[in-house]
Amino acid sequence: MQMEKHMTVPAGKDQLCQLKAGDYVYLTGTIYTARDAAHKRMNESLDQGEKLPVKLEEQVIYYMGPSPAREGRPIGSAGPTTASRMDKYAPRLLDLGLGAMIGKGKRTQEVIDAIIRNESVYFAAVGGAGALLSKCIKRSEVVAYDDLGAEAIRRLEIENFPVIVVIDKDGNNLYETAIEKYRKRIEEN
Protein backbone atom coordinates (compact mmCIF):
# COMPACT_ATOMS: atom_id res chain seq x y z
CA MET A 1 0.00 0.00 0.00
CA GLN A 2 1.46 3.33 -1.05
CA MET A 3 1.68 6.06 1.55
CA GLU A 4 2.31 9.78 1.29
CA LYS A 5 4.69 11.06 3.93
CA HIS A 6 6.51 14.21 4.90
CA MET A 7 10.03 13.89 6.29
CA THR A 8 12.67 16.24 7.62
CA VAL A 9 16.20 15.53 6.39
CA PRO A 10 18.78 14.58 7.39
CA ALA A 11 16.84 11.62 8.78
CA GLY A 12 17.76 8.99 11.32
CA LYS A 13 17.44 5.25 10.86
CA ASP A 14 14.21 5.25 12.87
CA GLN A 15 12.55 7.44 10.21
CA LEU A 16 14.13 5.72 7.20
CA CYS A 17 13.17 2.27 8.47
CA GLN A 18 9.49 3.26 8.38
CA LEU A 19 9.58 3.87 4.63
CA LYS A 20 8.40 1.22 2.20
CA ALA A 21 9.02 0.86 -1.53
CA GLY A 22 6.29 2.80 -3.29
CA ASP A 23 5.84 5.47 -0.61
CA TYR A 24 5.59 9.04 -1.85
CA VAL A 25 7.72 11.29 0.35
CA TYR A 26 8.11 15.06 0.53
CA LEU A 27 11.53 15.96 1.91
CA THR A 28 12.23 19.20 3.77
CA GLY A 29 15.59 20.23 5.22
CA THR A 30 19.19 19.84 4.06
CA ILE A 31 20.57 17.49 1.42
CA TYR A 32 23.82 17.37 -0.58
CA THR A 33 24.43 16.99 -4.29
CA ALA A 34 27.18 14.81 -5.72
CA ARG A 35 27.65 13.22 -9.11
CA ASP A 36 30.29 11.07 -10.80
CA ALA A 37 33.31 13.36 -10.43
CA ALA A 38 32.56 14.21 -6.80
CA HIS A 39 32.04 10.54 -5.94
CA LYS A 40 35.33 9.64 -7.59
CA ARG A 41 37.14 12.35 -5.64
CA MET A 42 35.52 11.30 -2.34
CA ASN A 43 36.57 7.71 -3.01
CA GLU A 44 40.15 8.80 -3.73
CA SER A 45 40.19 10.82 -0.49
CA LEU A 46 39.05 7.77 1.47
CA ASP A 47 41.72 5.63 -0.25
CA GLN A 48 44.34 8.13 0.93
CA GLY A 49 43.01 8.10 4.50
CA GLU A 50 41.67 11.64 4.26
CA LYS A 51 38.42 12.97 5.71
CA LEU A 52 35.49 13.63 3.44
CA PRO A 53 34.45 17.27 2.90
CA VAL A 54 30.98 16.58 4.37
CA LYS A 55 29.79 14.32 7.17
CA LEU A 56 27.76 11.51 5.63
CA GLU A 57 26.01 10.15 8.71
CA GLU A 58 22.24 10.21 8.15
CA GLN A 59 22.66 12.55 5.17
CA VAL A 60 20.94 12.37 1.80
CA ILE A 61 22.93 12.67 -1.43
CA TYR A 62 21.07 13.82 -4.52
CA TYR A 63 22.66 12.67 -7.78
CA MET A 64 22.28 15.97 -9.60
CA GLY A 65 24.33 18.59 -11.39
CA PRO A 66 22.29 21.76 -11.79
CA SER A 67 22.17 24.14 -14.69
CA PRO A 68 23.14 27.77 -13.96
CA ALA A 69 20.69 29.71 -11.80
CA ARG A 70 18.45 32.27 -13.41
CA GLU A 71 18.34 35.70 -11.83
CA GLY A 72 16.57 35.67 -8.49
CA ARG A 73 16.72 31.87 -8.16
CA PRO A 74 19.13 29.84 -5.99
CA ILE A 75 19.64 27.18 -8.67
CA GLY A 76 18.83 26.30 -12.26
CA SER A 77 17.14 23.14 -13.48
CA ALA A 78 17.79 20.42 -10.91
CA GLY A 79 16.72 17.05 -12.27
CA PRO A 80 18.20 13.72 -11.17
CA THR A 81 20.98 11.94 -13.01
CA THR A 82 21.25 8.20 -13.60
CA ALA A 83 22.13 6.56 -10.29
CA SER A 84 23.96 3.57 -11.75
CA ARG A 85 26.92 5.85 -12.53
CA MET A 86 27.54 6.10 -8.78
CA ASP A 87 27.05 2.38 -8.05
CA LYS A 88 30.76 1.56 -7.73
CA TYR A 89 31.05 4.18 -4.94
CA ALA A 90 27.66 3.92 -3.20
CA PRO A 91 28.24 0.80 -1.03
CA ARG A 92 31.31 2.37 0.59
CA LEU A 93 29.44 5.62 1.34
CA LEU A 94 26.46 3.71 2.72
CA ASP A 95 28.81 1.74 4.98
CA LEU A 96 30.14 5.10 6.25
CA GLY A 97 26.64 6.11 7.35
CA LEU A 98 24.98 7.71 4.33
CA GLY A 99 21.25 7.57 5.03
CA ALA A 100 19.70 7.85 1.59
CA MET A 101 20.31 8.59 -2.06
CA ILE A 102 18.13 10.31 -4.66
CA GLY A 103 18.53 9.59 -8.36
CA LYS A 104 16.80 7.84 -11.20
CA GLY A 105 17.09 4.35 -12.59
CA LYS A 106 18.05 0.91 -11.34
CA ARG A 107 20.81 0.02 -8.87
CA THR A 108 23.21 -2.93 -8.83
CA GLN A 109 22.83 -5.84 -6.44
CA GLU A 110 25.89 -4.59 -4.53
CA VAL A 111 24.12 -1.29 -3.85
CA ILE A 112 20.90 -3.07 -2.87
CA ASP A 113 22.88 -5.28 -0.47
CA ALA A 114 24.49 -2.17 1.07
CA ILE A 115 21.06 -0.53 1.42
CA ILE A 116 19.82 -3.59 3.33
CA ARG A 117 23.01 -3.90 5.41
CA ASN A 118 22.82 -0.24 6.46
CA GLU A 119 19.02 0.14 6.62
CA SER A 120 19.20 2.92 4.06
CA VAL A 121 16.83 4.05 1.31
CA TYR A 122 17.05 4.81 -2.40
CA PHE A 123 14.62 7.47 -3.57
CA ALA A 124 13.81 8.38 -7.16
CA ALA A 125 13.02 11.88 -8.34
CA VAL A 126 11.18 12.37 -11.59
CA GLY A 127 13.55 12.65 -14.53
CA GLY A 128 12.73 15.42 -16.97
CA ALA A 129 11.16 17.56 -14.25
CA GLY A 130 14.28 19.52 -13.28
CA ALA A 131 12.65 22.93 -13.66
CA LEU A 132 9.79 21.91 -11.39
CA LEU A 133 12.09 20.27 -8.84
CA SER A 134 14.24 23.40 -8.68
CA LYS A 135 11.26 25.29 -7.25
CA CYS A 136 11.55 23.12 -4.11
CA ILE A 137 15.16 24.26 -3.59
CA LYS A 138 15.31 27.36 -1.42
CA ARG A 139 19.09 27.71 -1.06
CA SER A 140 22.13 26.28 -2.82
CA GLU A 141 25.73 26.61 -1.69
CA VAL A 142 28.87 24.96 -3.04
CA VAL A 143 30.62 23.31 -0.07
CA ALA A 144 33.35 21.23 -1.74
CA TYR A 145 35.16 20.62 -5.02
CA ASP A 146 34.27 24.01 -6.51
CA ASP A 147 36.65 23.26 -9.39
CA LEU A 148 34.20 20.59 -10.61
CA GLY A 149 31.67 23.25 -11.64
CA ALA A 150 28.19 21.70 -11.96
CA GLU A 151 29.55 18.52 -10.33
CA ALA A 152 30.75 20.29 -7.17
CA ILE A 153 29.20 19.18 -3.89
CA ARG A 154 26.40 21.54 -2.93
CA ARG A 155 24.36 21.87 0.22
CA LEU A 156 20.71 22.40 -0.67
CA GLU A 157 17.93 23.65 1.55
CA ILE A 158 14.77 22.02 0.24
CA GLU A 159 11.08 22.26 0.99
CA ASN A 160 8.52 19.60 0.05
CA PHE A 161 10.89 18.01 -2.45
CA PRO A 162 8.91 15.11 -4.02
CA VAL A 163 10.50 11.66 -4.22
CA ILE A 164 9.33 8.07 -4.24
CA VAL A 165 10.92 5.22 -2.31
CA VAL A 166 12.27 2.79 -4.91
CA ILE A 167 14.35 0.53 -2.63
CA ASP A 168 13.58 0.32 1.08
CA LYS A 169 15.70 -0.99 3.95
CA ASP A 170 14.45 -4.54 3.35
CA GLY A 171 15.51 -4.49 -0.31
CA ASN A 172 11.97 -4.25 -1.64
CA ASN A 173 12.41 -2.77 -5.10
CA LEU A 174 9.59 -0.79 -6.68
CA TYR A 175 11.01 -1.29 -10.16
CA GLU A 176 10.68 -5.06 -9.77
CA THR A 177 7.33 -5.11 -7.96
CA ALA A 178 5.76 -2.67 -10.43
CA ILE A 179 6.81 -4.85 -13.37
CA GLU A 180 5.38 -7.93 -11.63
CA LYS A 181 2.06 -6.16 -10.89
CA TYR A 182 1.83 -5.02 -14.50
CA ARG A 183 2.60 -8.54 -15.77
CA LYS A 184 -0.14 -10.03 -13.56
CA ARG A 185 -2.64 -7.41 -14.69
CA ILE A 186 -1.88 -8.23 -18.35
CA GLU A 187 -2.26 -11.97 -17.70
CA GLU A 188 -5.62 -11.41 -15.98
CA ASN A 189 -7.03 -9.50 -18.94
Side-chain angles (χ1 to χ4, degrees):
M1 183 168 115
Q2 292 177 329
M3 299 288 295
E4 184 175 295
K5 300 179 179 192
H6 291 263
M7 178 178 285
T8 300
V9 288
K13 295 265 184 242
D14 54 333
Q15 290 177 289
L16 294 173
C17 285
Q18 294 177 28
L19 299 175
K20 300 292 178 207
D23 286 350
Y24 293 99
V25 184
Y26 294 90
L27 303 175
T28 298
T30 303
I31 63 174
Y32 291 90
T33 66
R35 282 183 42 170
D36 317 43
H39 275 75
K40 182 176 187 250
R41 193 169 291 173
M42 285 190 288
N43 195 59
E44 290 167 350
S45 292
L46 290 169
D47 286 346
Q48 295 169 12
E50 300 169 356
K51 290 179 103 173
L52 294 179
V54 295
K55 289 185 72 175
L56 292 180
E57 293 81 11
E58 301 183 348
Q59 296 296 338
V60 177
I61 290 182
Y62 182 25
Y63 302 145
M64 184 271 296
S67 63
R70 292 183 23 214
E71 187 155 342
R73 297 287 308 144
I75 201 164
S77 184
T81 195
T82 304
S84 62
R85 298 198 329 243
M86 274 55 72
D87 280 2
K88 64 183 168 183
Y89 309 114
R92 187 175 195 180
L93 299 181
L94 289 163
D95 289 343
L96 290 171
L98 180 63
M101 303 152 291
I102 304 170
K104 67 178 181 181
K106 295 182 178 184
R107 306 307 299 264
T108 63
Q109 189 60 51
E110 291 79 16
V111 174
I112 295 168
D113 292 344
I115 289 170
I116 296 166
R117 181 171 62 247
N118 294 288
E119 298 182 318
S120 302
V121 173
Y122 171 52
F123 295 110
V126 178
L132 291 172
L133 291 171
S134 72
K135 293 179 180 183
C136 300
I137 299 171
K138 305 307 176 188
R139 282 192 59 216
S140 172
E141 172 189 12
V142 173
V143 294
Y145 310 148
D146 190 33
D147 62 302
L148 296 179
E151 291 207 35
I153 296 178
R154 288 175 168 72
R155 179 176 31 247
L156 303 180
E157 297 298 325
I158 59 172
E159 187 175 302
N160 292 321
F161 189 90
V163 293
I164 187 166
V165 178
V166 174
I167 303 171
D168 63 27
K169 66 143 180 112
D170 296 316
N172 298 311
N173 188 332
L174 182 63
Y175 292 141
E176 292 174 3
T177 58
I179 289 169
E180 191 57 37
K181 282 182 187 177
Y182 178 76
R183 188 174 292 131
K184 284 181 182 176
R185 201 173 289 147
I186 294 297
E187 288 171 0
E188 291 171 0
N189 291 329

